[in-house]
Amino acid sequence: MPTSPTRRDWAQLLHELARQLDDGRVYDRDLVVLVTALNTVLDAYGRRPYVRDRNRDGGFSYLR
């Protein structure tokens, strides 16, 4: 079983996911599950106090 990614791994993994999506290496049938997972990540991100404070001040408006 693979180990869980650490905080330092996530940016690289997400960039790799973007490359695979661009290259067509992720099947269309997997996109619904993927978008659900990505929305869960964005929801968790938005619950962080720092992010909530930035959103109130106009920062991070590009999310959702």
Side-chain angles (χ1 to χ4, degrees):
M1 174 178 261
T3 60
S4 293
T6 67
R7 63 183 170 85
R8 292 185 182 116
D9 299 325
W10 286 111
Q12 182 179 350
L13 289 169
L14 290 170
H15 284 288
E16 178 59 25
L17 174 59
R19 279 192 292 275
Q20 289 189 23
L21 283 164
D22 285 339
D23 293 345
R25 290 184 278 161
V26 177
Y27 292 116
D28 289 347
R29 67 177 178 254
D30 297 324
L31 294 179
V32 172
V33 174
L34 183 57
V35 77
T36 301
L38 289 171
N39 282 332
T40 300
V41 169
L42 284 175
D43 290 344
Y45 178 78
R47 289 190 294 271
R48 297 289 298 257
Y50 173 78
V51 174
R52 282 195 317 266
D53 292 345
R54 291 291 304 235
N55 280 335
R56 208 173 310 136
D57 297 334
F60 302 121
S61 60
Y62 54 88
L63 293 176
R64 288 213 188 190

